[in-house]
Amino acid sequence: MKKNKSIIFLSFLFFSISLYGQVHFHSAEEAADFALNNSITYTYERANSLLAVKMANYSIESFLPTFSVSWADNKNINFNSVDSSNKTLSLSMRQSLFDGGKNKLSYDMQKSTSLYNYNVYLQSEKNFRSDIIFQYYNCITSLKMLEIKRELESLAQEQLNILKMEFEMGKVLENDYLEYIISFKKIQNEKKQYEREYRAVLRKFKIALSLEPNAEIILGGEVFIDPYEDFVLEDYFNYLWNRFKVVSPEYQQLNLNLQYAIQQYKYAKAAFIPEISLQADLNFSGTEYPLTSPSYNIKLFLSFSNFPLFPITIDGGLGMDSKGRLVSAKNNSSVSLSPNPNYLNTLTNQRISVMQQKENRKQSENSYYDSLFDSISQFDDYNNNLIIYNDTIKIQEKRLLISQEQMNSGMMKRIDYLEELTDLARQKIELIQSQNNLLVVERSLEIMLDIPFGELQNVCKESCKN
């Protein structure tokens, strides 16, 4: 049902774009869905990664029997006797019974690699969605900061109008009036800079959505969050670290590489384990069609192909006629004189590879540990900054009311009041930037830990109940 709603929503968006050149997103998640569903690159990558998983699951050729069919029609011309002919139809099947685990190891690695690549794709998809959400936030943030600057300009303009009247009436000095104009011009210039920045991030956002530059975008929904009161993410570090080790494709690949190196080492040591296969033949022969003289052969092959000194192949078989009577018994053996003087060196190399993978796993684990801890510390720092900015702005707003009364009573210059207005606007902009920083690090952690967007706090608190 949710998928159908998404299709209806996207169809409505395309219809709106084609008719009016206007796109209305009610939330950042809607924008991310729109971008992902219309990305040709991710459409192909998704199809390829899913196909790779399917192909790996069906890569069972080495476990299946092989079949062969041969036909022969031979004629002999005899000058002094009647010509003779012989026709033969042969059906053969060969099945591997045991190979020391080589085929199983290869099959498992193909499946694991394809699944890892698919998980990496899913993570890249989440990163793409996160980038779209981040740009959505940037647009909202830039617009909010622009609105603050516009409001500051409007308030400053009101005070400038009053100051101009007072100057013309001779109530204020020209120097104070000119100083105020200089500060006001600076505010106007900063507002224009914020307007340019807003147009830039909006244009970048349209490109990310594959929209036309002149398309009108309406961004809805409240994206800013209140600070998390009485919530310290570092308190849940052990839980988050254990969760990371379970859900992270990169971390799982470390274990996979180590297990693969261990299996390769075990396989290299198993040089004396034979490869066993069975072959069954069914032959029809005769001088005329239909061929009515069947015979049967069964062979068992033992191959010591990994033997380091003298690879040996042994096979034995039984032959039966059409009446099931044993008519032949064959035993063959062959030895290839191709000694492998590097056998011990190969074992040493495989053992070193296992130790290297263990060390790589340890170092990578420490690196992931530090990275997760740094992200969690950033989250707590940004959240704490958000609390401080909120409290500071409340205090500044109270102080501004007092300053306004002092200004109206003549106890404060308007330029000093303008400085307080400017300082309050700066604090509000820093508050918005801190909110944006908190959202960015929160989304990064949710991607890293495979947590639905916006559910980091709930998942952490829920873990304490389990």
Side-chain angles (χ1 to χ4, degrees):
M1 186 66 183
K2 185 177 180 181
K3 184 177 181 181
N4 293 335
K5 289 182 178 179
S6 299
I7 294 173
I8 294 173
F9 166 72
L10 292 174
S11 301
F12 176 74
L13 275 180
F14 281 122
F15 181 74
S16 301
I17 293 170
S18 61
L19 284 184
Y20 309 108
Q22 183 184 93
V23 186
H24 187 183
F25 294 112
H26 298 86
S27 67
E29 284 73 17
E30 277 189 7
D33 290 338
F34 177 83
L36 185 61
N37 282 283
N38 289 282
S39 172
I40 297 177
T41 300
Y42 278 91
T43 299
Y44 289 148
E45 288 183 2
R46 186 186 309 114
N48 283 333
S49 58
L50 286 172
L51 183 60
V53 173
K54 186 175 181 180
M55 291 176 65
N57 289 332
Y58 282 93
S59 297
I60 56 175
E61 300 88 353
S62 57
F63 302 105
L64 299 177
T66 58
F67 298 90
S68 62
V69 180
S70 62
W71 171 79
D73 188 350
N74 300 316
K75 295 182 179 181
N76 296 320
I77 301 175
N78 300 317
F79 293 100
N80 299 320
S81 60
V82 179
D83 295 345
S84 62
S85 64
N86 182 52
K87 308 178 192 304
T88 304
L89 175 64
S90 299
L91 306 176
S92 179
M93 180 198 75
R94 185 160 180 164
Q95 173 67 55
S96 175
L97 301 180
F98 179 75
D99 65 350
K102 180 179 179 180
N103 290 333
K104 181 65 166 56
L105 176 63
S106 176
Y107 176 71
D108 290 342
M109 286 305 302
Q110 286 186 48
K111 287 181 61 178
S112 299
T113 301
S114 65
L115 187 59
Y116 166 76
N117 291 334
Y118 179 65
N119 288 332
V120 168
Y121 162 75
L122 291 179
Q123 190 144 9
S124 71
E125 190 177 277
K126 290 189 70 174
N127 288 331
F128 177 74
R129 284 175 51 84
S130 178
D131 181 64
I132 297 297
I133 292 173
F134 171 70
Q135 292 191 47
Y136 188 97
Y137 293 159
N138 270 352
C139 291
I140 297 292
T141 299
S142 182
L143 180 59
K144 292 287 186 182
M145 292 190 297
L146 176 58
E147 290 173 351
I148 291 172
K149 282 295 182 181
R150 285 173 175 171
E151 182 182 4
L152 175 62
E153 182 190 33
S154 177
L155 294 173
Q157 181 69 60
E158 291 178 4
Q159 297 302 318
L160 178 61
N161 294 337
I162 297 173
L163 188 62
K164 181 180 179 183
M165 293 175 59
E166 291 176 343
F167 170 69
E168 292 174 348
M169 296 171 62
K171 292 183 178 181
V172 296
L173 298 175
E174 183 179 7
N175 188 53
D176 293 338
Y177 176 60
L178 294 177
E179 184 181 2
Y180 191 98
I181 292 177
I182 292 172
S183 298
F184 179 72
K185 292 293 184 182
K186 182 180 178 181
I187 291 173
Q188 285 184 317
N189 183 55
E190 290 177 349
K191 185 206 70 173
K192 291 179 180 179
Q193 290 179 352
Y194 277 90
E195 286 176 340
R196 287 192 294 269
E197 290 175 3
Y198 174 64
R199 290 195 297 268
V201 296
L202 192 62
R203 181 171 58 252
K204 182 180 178 181
F205 185 53
K206 291 177 184 179
I207 293 173
L209 295 175
S210 301
L211 294 175
E212 294 294 330
N214 58 349
E216 182 182 355
I217 296 181
I218 300 176
L219 305 181
E222 182 61 42
V223 300
F224 297 117
I225 58 176
D226 295 326
Y228 294 102
E229 300 287 350
D230 302 323
F231 177 72
V232 180
L233 191 60
E234 189 175 343
D235 294 342
Y236 302 91
F237 178 78
N238 290 333
Y239 163 73
L240 296 177
W241 171 241
N242 291 328
R243 182 184 179 94
F244 173 82
K245 291 190 289 185
V246 172
V247 303
S248 171
E250 290 84 359
Y251 188 88
Q252 293 172 2
Q253 186 65 22
L254 295 177
N255 295 327
L256 186 64
N257 291 339
L258 177 59
Q259 291 302 318
Y260 182 69
I262 293 174
Q263 292 298 325
Q264 288 283 61
Y265 180 50
K266 289 181 178 179
Y267 181 77
K269 292 196 301 182
F272 302 97
I273 298 178
E275 298 174 2
I276 304 173
S277 59
L278 180 68
Q279 179 173 319
D281 300 321
L282 173 60
N283 301 308
F284 295 91
S285 60
T287 57
E288 298 294 338
Y289 294 109
L291 303 179
T292 56
S293 300
S295 60
Y296 310 92
N297 292 287
I298 297 178
K299 293 182 179 180
L300 187 67
F301 294 86
L302 279 79
S303 175
F304 295 84
S305 60
N306 294 327
F307 195 79
L309 298 177
F310 306 105
I312 302 172
T313 300
I314 301 173
D315 66 86
L318 300 174
M320 293 174 287
D321 59 15
S322 58
K323 296 182 179 181
R325 295 175 297 190
L326 182 65
V327 295
S328 64
K330 298 180 180 180
N331 292 291
N332 300 302
S333 61
S334 63
V335 179
S336 299
L337 301 179
S338 56
N340 182 9
N342 274 323
Y343 172 69
L344 295 179
N345 294 331
T346 300
L347 285 181
T348 302
N349 179 264
Q350 294 288 345
R351 186 170 63 254
I352 293 174
S353 178
V354 171
M355 291 187 293
Q356 282 181 322
Q357 289 297 335
K358 288 182 178 180
E359 183 62 24
N360 289 341
R361 183 182 181 279
K362 180 180 178 181
Q363 293 181 359
S364 298
E365 184 174 0
N366 290 336
S367 176
Y368 290 142
Y369 186 94
D370 291 339
S371 178
L372 179 62
F373 187 85
D374 289 343
S375 296
I376 290 175
S377 298
Q378 281 185 340
F379 178 92
D380 288 335
D381 288 341
Y382 288 141
N383 187 56
N384 187 59
N385 290 341
L386 206 56
I387 295 173
I388 294 174
Y389 280 129
N390 272 331
D391 294 339
T392 302
I393 288 173
K394 291 177 181 178
I395 295 172
Q396 283 186 309
E397 287 175 341
K398 289 182 179 179
R399 191 184 71 173
L400 191 65
L401 292 175
I402 298 174
S403 298
Q404 186 177 14
E405 293 178 359
Q406 292 176 340
M407 179 189 64
N408 292 334
S409 63
M411 297 174 61
M412 175 182 284
K413 293 182 178 180
R414 296 192 185 276
I415 186 64
D416 295 331
Y417 180 71
L418 179 62
E419 289 180 359
E420 290 192 10
L421 282 175
T422 304
D423 188 52
L424 178 59
R426 180 180 57 81
Q427 290 288 338
K428 288 182 177 180
I429 288 175
E430 290 179 354
L431 171 66
I432 292 175
Q433 290 173 334
S434 294
Q435 288 175 322
N436 196 29
N437 291 336
L438 180 61
L439 283 169
V440 170
V441 72
E442 184 177 10
R443 291 294 177 266
S444 299
L445 282 167
E446 287 168 344
I447 290 173
M448 189 187 303
L449 299 167
D450 193 28
I451 295 175
F453 288 157
E455 294 295 322
L456 178 61
Q457 183 184 25
N458 294 335
V459 169
C460 288
K461 290 186 175 181
E462 191 67 27
S463 67
C464 296
K465 300 178 182 178
N466 299 331

